Short mmCIF file of all heavy atoms in Angstrom, two decimals:
data_model
loop_
_atom_site.label_atom_id
_atom_site.label_comp_id
_atom_site.label_asym_id
_atom_site.label_seq_id
_atom_site.Cartn_x
_atom_site.Cartn_y
_atom_site.Cartn_z
N GLU A 1413 3.88 53.68 -134.55
CA GLU A 1413 4.94 53.45 -133.57
C GLU A 1413 4.32 53.44 -132.19
O GLU A 1413 3.43 54.24 -131.91
CB GLU A 1413 5.97 54.58 -133.71
CG GLU A 1413 7.32 54.29 -133.13
CD GLU A 1413 7.40 54.64 -131.65
OE1 GLU A 1413 6.49 55.30 -131.12
OE2 GLU A 1413 8.38 54.23 -131.03
N TYR A 1414 4.77 52.54 -131.31
CA TYR A 1414 4.15 52.44 -129.98
C TYR A 1414 4.90 53.23 -128.91
O TYR A 1414 4.30 54.06 -128.22
CB TYR A 1414 4.07 50.96 -129.58
CG TYR A 1414 3.65 50.72 -128.14
CD1 TYR A 1414 2.31 50.84 -127.75
CD2 TYR A 1414 4.59 50.38 -127.17
CE1 TYR A 1414 1.93 50.61 -126.44
CE2 TYR A 1414 4.21 50.15 -125.85
CZ TYR A 1414 2.89 50.27 -125.49
OH TYR A 1414 2.51 50.05 -124.18
N GLN A 1415 6.18 52.98 -128.76
CA GLN A 1415 6.87 53.41 -127.55
C GLN A 1415 6.87 54.92 -127.32
O GLN A 1415 6.58 55.38 -126.23
CB GLN A 1415 8.31 52.87 -127.54
CG GLN A 1415 8.97 52.93 -126.16
CD GLN A 1415 8.21 52.10 -125.10
OE1 GLN A 1415 7.83 50.97 -125.36
NE2 GLN A 1415 7.96 52.69 -123.93
N ALA A 1416 7.15 55.68 -128.37
CA ALA A 1416 7.22 57.14 -128.18
C ALA A 1416 5.85 57.70 -127.79
O ALA A 1416 5.75 58.53 -126.88
CB ALA A 1416 7.73 57.81 -129.45
N LEU A 1417 4.81 57.21 -128.44
CA LEU A 1417 3.47 57.70 -128.10
C LEU A 1417 3.06 57.23 -126.70
O LEU A 1417 2.42 57.96 -125.95
CB LEU A 1417 2.45 57.25 -129.15
CG LEU A 1417 1.04 57.84 -128.98
CD1 LEU A 1417 1.06 59.37 -129.02
CD2 LEU A 1417 0.07 57.31 -130.05
N TYR A 1418 3.47 56.01 -126.36
CA TYR A 1418 3.17 55.50 -125.01
C TYR A 1418 3.84 56.40 -123.96
O TYR A 1418 3.19 56.84 -123.01
CB TYR A 1418 3.62 54.04 -124.86
CG TYR A 1418 3.37 53.52 -123.46
CD1 TYR A 1418 2.08 53.22 -123.04
CD2 TYR A 1418 4.41 53.37 -122.54
CE1 TYR A 1418 1.82 52.78 -121.75
CE2 TYR A 1418 4.17 52.93 -121.25
CZ TYR A 1418 2.87 52.63 -120.86
OH TYR A 1418 2.62 52.21 -119.57
N ASP A 1419 5.12 56.67 -124.16
CA ASP A 1419 5.84 57.51 -123.19
C ASP A 1419 5.17 58.88 -123.08
O ASP A 1419 4.98 59.41 -121.99
CB ASP A 1419 7.31 57.69 -123.60
CG ASP A 1419 8.07 56.36 -123.50
OD1 ASP A 1419 7.56 55.44 -122.84
OD2 ASP A 1419 9.14 56.25 -124.12
N TYR A 1420 4.80 59.42 -124.23
CA TYR A 1420 4.13 60.71 -124.23
C TYR A 1420 2.82 60.64 -123.44
O TYR A 1420 2.51 61.50 -122.61
CB TYR A 1420 3.86 61.16 -125.67
CG TYR A 1420 2.96 62.36 -125.78
CD1 TYR A 1420 3.45 63.65 -125.53
CD2 TYR A 1420 1.60 62.22 -126.08
CE1 TYR A 1420 2.60 64.75 -125.60
CE2 TYR A 1420 0.76 63.32 -126.15
CZ TYR A 1420 1.26 64.58 -125.91
OH TYR A 1420 0.43 65.67 -125.96
N SER A 1421 2.07 59.56 -123.66
CA SER A 1421 0.75 59.43 -123.01
C SER A 1421 0.88 59.27 -121.50
O SER A 1421 -0.02 59.65 -120.75
CB SER A 1421 -0.03 58.26 -123.61
OG SER A 1421 0.50 57.02 -123.17
N ILE A 1422 1.98 58.71 -121.05
CA ILE A 1422 2.19 58.53 -119.61
C ILE A 1422 2.66 59.85 -118.98
O ILE A 1422 2.20 60.25 -117.91
CB ILE A 1422 3.23 57.41 -119.35
CG1 ILE A 1422 2.70 56.07 -119.88
CG2 ILE A 1422 3.58 57.31 -117.86
CD1 ILE A 1422 1.38 55.60 -119.31
N ASN A 1423 3.55 60.52 -119.67
CA ASN A 1423 4.10 61.77 -119.12
C ASN A 1423 3.14 62.95 -119.27
O ASN A 1423 3.30 63.97 -118.59
CB ASN A 1423 5.44 62.09 -119.78
CG ASN A 1423 6.44 60.99 -119.49
OD1 ASN A 1423 6.41 60.38 -118.42
ND2 ASN A 1423 7.31 60.71 -120.45
N ASN A 1424 2.20 62.81 -120.20
CA ASN A 1424 1.25 63.90 -120.47
C ASN A 1424 -0.15 63.32 -120.58
O ASN A 1424 -0.83 63.49 -121.58
CB ASN A 1424 1.58 64.60 -121.79
CG ASN A 1424 3.02 65.01 -121.87
OD1 ASN A 1424 3.41 66.07 -121.39
ND2 ASN A 1424 3.84 64.15 -122.46
N ARG A 1425 -0.54 62.62 -119.51
CA ARG A 1425 -1.80 61.85 -119.62
C ARG A 1425 -2.97 62.74 -120.00
O ARG A 1425 -3.76 62.42 -120.89
CB ARG A 1425 -2.07 61.12 -118.30
CG ARG A 1425 -3.30 60.23 -118.37
CD ARG A 1425 -3.42 59.32 -117.17
NE ARG A 1425 -2.41 58.28 -117.18
CZ ARG A 1425 -1.45 58.14 -116.27
NH1 ARG A 1425 -1.38 58.97 -115.25
NH2 ARG A 1425 -0.58 57.17 -116.37
N GLU A 1426 -3.09 63.87 -119.33
CA GLU A 1426 -4.25 64.72 -119.60
C GLU A 1426 -4.21 65.30 -121.01
O GLU A 1426 -5.23 65.36 -121.69
CB GLU A 1426 -4.36 65.81 -118.54
CG GLU A 1426 -4.73 65.21 -117.20
CD GLU A 1426 -4.87 66.25 -116.10
OE1 GLU A 1426 -5.45 67.32 -116.36
OE2 GLU A 1426 -4.39 65.98 -114.98
N ALA A 1427 -3.02 65.67 -121.44
CA ALA A 1427 -2.89 66.22 -122.79
C ALA A 1427 -3.25 65.16 -123.82
O ALA A 1427 -3.97 65.41 -124.79
CB ALA A 1427 -1.48 66.74 -123.03
#
Side-chain angles (χ1 to χ4, degrees):
E1413 199 273 349
Y1414 171 78
Q1415 197 60 46
L1417 187 58
Y1418 178 74
D1419 293 343
Y1420 170 78
S1421 73
I1422 297 302
N1423 299 327
N1424 309 275
R1425 184 169 289 116
E1426 291 181 42

